Amino acid sequence: MTLTQLRHLIAIADSGLNITLAAERVHATQPGLSKQLRQLEDELGFQLFVRKGKSLDAVTHAGEQVIERARIILAEAGNIRAIAANLRNEAHGELRIATTHTQARFALPAAIAALNASFPQVSVHLEPTRDADVLARLEAGQVDLAIISSTGAAPAAGMAFAAYRWQRVIVTPLDHPLAARTTPPTLDELVTLPLISYDSSLRPESSLRRAFEEAGLTPQIAMTAGDADLIKTYVRAGMGVGILAEMAMQDGDVDLHALPTDPLFAPCTTWVVLRRDSVPREYTLAFIQQFAPHLGRHELRRALAGEPPRDGWADVPHWRERHRLPAARVA
């Protein structure tokens, strides 16, 4: 049994049992990957997958157990490599980040650019996805860290560190009746309007939907999108009133009017999440400090080692305050 065989096994599982896609992800040929799988099954003495013709149809019960253990083995092998690379002060490698489209588009560019300036040999692989899938990619070991938001407690998966707080805004064209207001409408007023928001607003656990339901109201969701720029596009087209993250409003959005929603909806917190069993590279900690300057590298190391920060965690800033924080040094 080899690490390569286990890596190929995980690639197959994470590619929906598509051998061709799995081979592409591990930079192998399809025949080579299939050969590695057969060799592993021959050594174990049982099948890991149910076959249907030449295709893989399902994971066997035994295969599920092996895949679970293989993930642990590969994670620990990666940790050993990270320890060695940190001790050698290596400044090259890759950083894989799973996050939402809003974070990728509006919150991360400055931090990634700063990391690139200090660690030019580190390649960043940004994987914007639905917020429901972000933590799953982290738990599966497909990324090094996740950046995700919630309105309540920290994510249950991994070790979460609060990066900043933020609120939603109500967005309308300049000729909309709400654009003449400086204060937000009530939920009773808002429920009479067609709304455009994120895909997550359709889920039962959505904090946006929950705010209306707790008031005994049902919002009119006219349209949803996973991308804030798309929401703004359809607000401009007159499809409805947009409700989106405040960081998605940019200086160039001069044709749109934004109203705060602080009295209406619970505030959100954006979290940086690492796997509990991970040994992050130094440039990963440098990136986190750049993205959230109040999170120092020494405190992060202590937390990952199971120790509390010496002086406690600094207060979590609001998005509106972040530009006033001193820039973190990443080198």
Side-chain angles (χ1 to χ4, degrees):
M1 185 185 307
T2 67
L3 290 177
T4 297
Q5 289 173 337
L6 298 183
R7 191 174 297 110
H8 288 180
L9 172 64
I10 297 302
I12 294 171
D14 290 344
S15 299
L17 310 190
N18 185 319
I19 293 286
T20 301
L21 179 58
E24 291 175 358
R25 289 182 174 180
V26 297
H27 307 293
T29 63
Q30 183 175 338
L33 190 145
S34 297
K35 179 180 178 181
Q36 292 283 347
L37 176 59
R38 286 195 303 271
Q39 290 176 342
L40 179 59
E41 289 182 323
D42 288 344
E43 178 180 348
L44 296 175
F46 53 80
Q47 287 194 333
L48 298 169
F49 299 98
V50 177
R51 268 77 170 177
K52 180 178 288 186
K54 294 184 178 180
S55 301
L56 303 181
D57 186 56
V59 183
T60 65
H61 177 67
E64 291 176 352
Q65 297 179 69
V66 172
I67 289 170
E68 179 182 357
R69 296 294 176 179
R71 292 191 191 280
I72 296 172
I73 292 170
L74 291 177
E76 288 304 321
N79 286 340
I80 292 171
R81 294 189 187 97
I83 291 171
N86 287 340
L87 290 173
R88 293 193 298 264
N89 293 317
E90 287 185 1
H92 59 84
E94 64 177 18
L95 177 59
R96 300 165 299 165
I97 305 171
T99 189
T100 62
H101 290 274
T102 295
Q103 297 294 330
R105 169 70 174 82
F106 302 105
L108 288 176
I112 291 176
L115 180 72
N116 179 258
S118 296
F119 294 89
Q121 291 183 296
V122 172
S123 60
V124 178
H125 303 283
L126 198 58
E127 302 184 18
T129 186
R130 299 182 306 167
D131 56 357
D133 298 330
V134 171
L135 293 178
R137 294 186 65 76
L138 179 72
E139 290 183 306
Q142 297 169 352
V143 295
D144 302 301
L145 63 87
I147 297 176
I148 194 169
S149 300
S150 71
T151 55
M159 295 193 68
F161 304 93
Y164 63 90
R165 294 175 291 109
W166 55 275
Q167 186 54 277
R168 298 176 177 89
V169 290
I170 297 170
V171 180
T172 69
L174 294 181
D175 59 357
H176 193 279
L178 287 181
R181 301 177 58 152
T182 57
T183 57
T186 64
L187 288 178
D188 287 302
E189 293 174 304
L190 203 55
V191 79
T192 65
L193 303 173
L195 305 180
I196 307 174
S197 193
Y198 298 103
D199 294 334
S200 58
S201 62
L202 295 176
R203 299 207 307 266
E205 68 272 19
S206 162
S207 59
L208 176 69
R209 179 178 290 274
R210 192 164 58 244
F212 282 100
E213 290 176 348
E214 289 174 354
L217 302 170
T218 301
Q220 300 180 49
I221 306 296
M223 182 176 178
T224 64
D227 185 298
D229 284 326
L230 283 176
I231 293 174
K232 290 187 287 187
T233 294
Y234 286 96
V235 168
R236 291 183 173 103
M239 285 283 296
V241 172
I243 300 181
L244 66 162
E246 63 179 306
M247 51 274 197
M249 291 301 294
Q250 302 286 285
D251 292 340
D253 294 323
V254 295
D255 58 335
L256 296 175
H257 181 71
L259 287 167
T261 66
D262 297 41
L264 303 180
F265 306 118
C268 301
T269 300
T270 291
W271 307 86
V272 176
V273 190
L274 294 164
R275 291 194 306 276
R276 290 186 180 278
D277 59 352
S278 67
V279 176
R281 294 287 301 273
E282 284 299 313
Y283 54 73
T284 301
L285 298 180
F287 166 79
I288 295 173
Q289 187 176 15
Q290 182 64 33
F291 181 62
H294 65 287
L295 296 175
R297 271 186 267 181
H298 296 299
E299 288 78 10
L300 286 169
R301 290 192 194 96
R302 288 178 61 87
L304 290 169
E307 303 173 10
R310 287 191 176 90
D311 301 318
W313 292 109
D315 291 339
V316 181
H318 194 280
W319 172 259
R320 303 163 198 165
E321 303 166 351
R322 293 177 87 235
H323 69 280
R324 292 195 291 268
L325 295 173
R329 294 181 60 192
V330 299

